[in-house]
Amino acid sequence: MPAEFPRLAEDTPIYVAGHRGLAGAAIWRALERRGCTNLVGATSQEVDLRDRDATTAFVRKNRPQVMVVAAARVGGILANSTYPADFLSDNLRIQVNLLDAAAEHDVERVLFLGSSCIYPRLAEQPIREDSLLTGPLEPTNDAYAIAKIAGIMHVQAMRRQHGRRWISAMPTNLYGPGDNFHPESSHVLPALIRRFHEAKEAAAPRVTIWGSGRPRREFLHVDDLADAACFLLEHYDDPAPINVGTGVDLTIAELAALVADVVGWRGELAFDTGKPDGTPRKVLDVGRLRELGWSPATDLRTGIESTYAWFVAHHATARL
């Protein structure tokens, strides 16, 4: 439902948890562009959010009025399927610690960022928010999804029990400057950028991609997600999570061809059908967010071009 919140002011104390990550850093930049100067963040070395006492002490000291929960342990299909216990444990502790600290110290507005993987593997497409908990999850990332579902429920429980005007947003697959390009822990789009860049440098005639190439995915530039986060903090107040995406998808094979073209690699694409595909299709129904008045600004090719340019400029120090 529409909300009547004041515009995020220059002096509003805002804590962006995970401000060095892909989403958190973009949200920080978006807040700075809006003139917000009272921003608070801490690296994982400064505050381990898995540590309840350390998290509570940090929130107590800084007393934010707004908290964005963008801190999470994240990874692609390989990392999620290899380390499910770590993904479940770390994310549950991070979320519970942050949300409990926010409740204890009266944080007025909290935006919890989830993930589109919370929805059932075979949910009706495009996926509506009311598909949550209507079917089995994708087994390659079910542990991470369960943690994120718990975060949504935590926000909803705080609204019911304590009247907190906290909200949850479910972004689709994110990409952009500052992404993780590591071969074992990256998501599909940055992984493809790295693979094709290295293939171009090595003049490799062929690159093999995991899976059949048939699954369909949706991608949102992280700066668009950041803009949506600011918009929702000012305009959304509902217990239901709200989807954030483009509403447009493409096959992994089509994505690979597009990334190869942007990178400038002209070899042969092959697909290893012995590797898992994951969910057959995942595109979000973004009708509720569009009705509120928000839509993304970055088309996929332009976003990939800017992300590749960032990678080339930073690949010596990027997460490789």
Side-chain angles (χ1 to χ4, degrees):
M1 67 179 68
E4 295 298 330
F5 291 104
R7 184 172 177 82
L8 296 171
E10 177 182 341
D11 59 350
T12 301
I14 304 173
Y15 171 30
V16 182
H19 78 296
R20 292 288 185 87
L22 177 63
I27 291 170
W28 187 284
R29 293 193 300 268
L31 290 166
E32 286 185 324
R33 287 194 297 270
R34 295 167 72 93
C36 298
T37 58
N38 196 1
L39 304 180
V40 178
T43 66
S44 57
Q45 289 74 36
E46 293 168 329
V47 179
D48 184 351
L49 295 176
R50 298 169 299 179
D51 183 323
R52 186 175 182 85
D53 291 340
T55 303
T56 302
F58 182 81
V59 174
R60 181 191 305 117
K61 176 184 177 181
N62 290 282
R63 299 284 178 171
Q65 292 179 16
V66 176
M67 178 188 292
V68 179
V69 181
R73 178 171 182 156
V74 299
I77 189 170
L78 177 60
N80 271 278
S81 57
T82 305
Y83 306 107
D86 295 346
F87 276 84
L88 182 67
S89 178
D90 286 355
N91 285 299
L92 284 174
R93 284 184 287 165
I94 289 167
Q95 295 163 193
V96 169
N97 292 343
L98 284 168
L99 295 175
D100 281 355
E104 181 178 343
H105 297 290
D106 296 319
V107 178
E108 178 184 354
R109 288 286 276 165
V110 172
L111 170 60
F112 173 77
L113 290 182
S115 167
S116 59
C117 73
I118 64 166
Y119 294 117
R121 181 176 188 272
L122 299 178
E124 182 181 345
Q125 305 286 327
I127 307 172
R128 302 185 310 274
E129 290 88 348
D130 60 10
S131 297
L132 182 62
L133 297 177
T134 60
L137 299 166
E138 163 57 40
T140 56
N141 61 5
D142 53 2
Y144 178 75
I146 286 292
K148 287 299 183 181
I149 291 170
I152 297 168
M153 296 300 163
H154 197 157
V155 167
Q156 292 176 339
M158 291 302 300
R159 291 179 67 99
R160 290 201 309 270
Q161 185 173 338
H162 299 292
R164 303 283 181 179
R165 299 180 76 180
W166 296 359
I167 56 175
S168 299
M170 301 302 112
T172 192
N173 300 295
L174 299 174
Y175 72 98
D179 213 333
N180 172 19
F181 296 88
H182 192 279
E184 294 183 0
S185 60
S186 59
H187 290 99
V188 60
L189 200 157
L192 289 173
I193 286 176
R194 175 180 173 145
R195 295 283 304 283
F196 292 135
H197 177 79
E198 292 178 346
K200 182 175 73 170
E201 288 194 324
R206 180 185 176 103
V207 168
T208 301
I209 308 298
W210 266 38
S212 67
R214 292 190 296 269
R216 301 186 67 88
R217 294 292 184 269
E218 171 189 20
F219 297 91
L220 179 70
H221 193 278
V222 71
D223 286 342
D224 284 336
L225 177 274
D227 185 64
C230 295
F231 177 87
L232 290 168
L233 283 167
E234 296 176 340
H235 297 285
Y236 188 68
D237 183 28
D238 194 286
I242 188 165
N243 290 339
V244 184
T246 64
V248 178
D249 63 348
L250 75 169
T251 67
I252 296 299
E254 291 169 335
L255 175 69
L258 176 57
V259 173
D261 187 56
V262 168
V263 171
W265 177 76
R266 299 290 183 260
E268 177 191 357
L269 275 176
F271 294 90
D272 183 354
T273 57
K275 295 294 192 300
D277 272 339
T279 303
R281 187 186 184 203
K282 190 169 65 173
V283 59
L284 297 180
D285 184 327
V286 293
R288 292 175 66 228
L289 185 53
R290 287 183 182 274
E291 287 176 5
L292 286 175
W294 186 89
S295 58
T298 309
D299 70 88
L300 185 56
R301 184 180 185 93
T302 300
I304 293 173
E305 289 172 346
S306 66
T307 303
Y308 180 54
W310 185 93
F311 172 80
V312 170
H314 296 85
H315 71 278
T317 56
R319 286 175 286 172
L320 300 175

